[in-house]
């Protein structure tokens, strides 16, 4: 049972560690030291819900309605493009990160939700892929696999958010943030193109 749990943990980490829109936003909020607890909790809970839904068999439902993924794909691409443009504008006018006007908790939460749920890859990775892998372990062991995957998400989001917060001093310099904004913009734009091209 411990090996199934470990497999879930490593698989979950393997799927979420890659840089993406959600991770870039968590990194940004950690460096800004702004509403990081809310962002980390929201991302971890969202992942947990999606992983458990996939383990419960919702992945088959998602696969049988591909139009849902198409709608999410186009909405996600539009949102990521908008986010990329904002990052490029910020990079063109670099300022110390700590000197930027703070964002409201509501704005940060709505951005976190959009970056999480408008990305069809989130559903493919957590609901379909992790759900399919979990269900290969049988009725009771699949929940052990899912628990490992959920823990992987919690560890990653917590480490990323609070790690960035701990390094916010050296990372908040205008030049560092300019480079980070450019990288975030490129990643968001690349993800948007990838979504459009399917």
């Amino acid at each position: 049972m411990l090996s199934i749990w470990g497999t879930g943990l490593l698989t979950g980490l393997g799927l979420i560690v890659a840089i993406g829109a959600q991770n870039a936003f968590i990194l940004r909020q950690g460096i800004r030291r702004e509403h990081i607890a809310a962002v980390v909790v929201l991302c971890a809970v969202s992942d947990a819900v999606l992983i458990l839904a996939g383990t419960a068999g919702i992945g088959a439902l998602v696969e049988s309605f591909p139009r849902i993924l198409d709608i999410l794909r186009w909405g996600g691409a539009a949102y990521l493009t908008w986010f990329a443009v904002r990052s490029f504008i910020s990079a063109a006018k670099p300022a110390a990160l700590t000197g930027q006007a703070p964002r409201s908790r509501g704005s940060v939460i709505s951005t976190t939700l959009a970056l999480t749920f408008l990305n069809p890859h989130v559903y493919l990775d957590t609901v379909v892929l992790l759900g399919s892998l979990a269900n290969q372990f049988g009725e009771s062991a699949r929940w052990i696999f899912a628990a490992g995957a959920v823990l992987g998400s919690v560890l990653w989001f917590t480490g990323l958010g609070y790690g960035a917060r701990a390094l916010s001093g050296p990372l908040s310099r205008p030049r560092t943030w300019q480079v980070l904004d450019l990288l975030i913009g490129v990643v968001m734009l690349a993800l948007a193109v990838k979504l459009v091209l399917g």
Side-chain angles (χ1 to χ4, degrees), residues 8-177:
L9 174 68
L10 294 175
T11 305
L13 281 171
L15 288 174
I16 65 168
V17 166
I19 190 67
Q22 189 183 50
N23 286 339
F25 184 70
I26 294 169
L27 182 63
R28 179 184 182 93
Q29 290 308 115
I31 294 170
R32 284 181 62 107
R33 303 174 136 252
E34 188 177 77
H35 309 300
I36 192 61
V39 172
V40 166
V41 168
L42 195 54
C43 289
V45 168
S46 298
D47 247 27
V49 167
L50 292 169
I51 290 167
L52 296 174
T55 304
I58 303 298
L61 182 65
V62 171
E63 285 182 316
S64 58
F65 291 103
R67 292 291 298 153
I68 293 171
L69 292 178
D70 282 340
I71 292 166
L72 290 169
R73 178 166 61 108
W74 288 103
Y79 188 82
L80 290 172
T81 301
W82 173 79
F83 202 96
V85 168
R86 282 186 55 198
S87 293
F88 290 137
I89 290 169
S90 292
K93 298 182 279 185
L97 193 59
T98 53
Q100 294 179 5
R103 294 180 64 182
S104 70
R105 182 181 297 273
S107 170
V108 169
I109 287 174
S110 63
T111 300
T112 305
L113 290 171
L115 291 173
T116 300
F117 292 105
L118 285 179
N119 181 0
H121 291 293
V122 167
Y123 299 95
L124 294 174
D125 288 348
T126 57
V127 178
V128 177
L129 182 58
L130 281 175
S132 298
L133 291 172
N135 282 294
Q136 291 178 5
F137 289 100
E139 186 57 38
S140 59
R142 67 182 173 160
W143 297 108
I144 295 169
F145 176 92
V150 167
L151 179 61
S153 289
V154 171
L155 292 174
W156 172 251
F157 291 133
T158 303
L160 181 63
Y162 286 100
R165 181 180 173 177
L167 295 171
S168 65
L171 292 178
S172 66
R173 294 186 191 103
R175 181 70 179 151
T176 304
W177 195 245

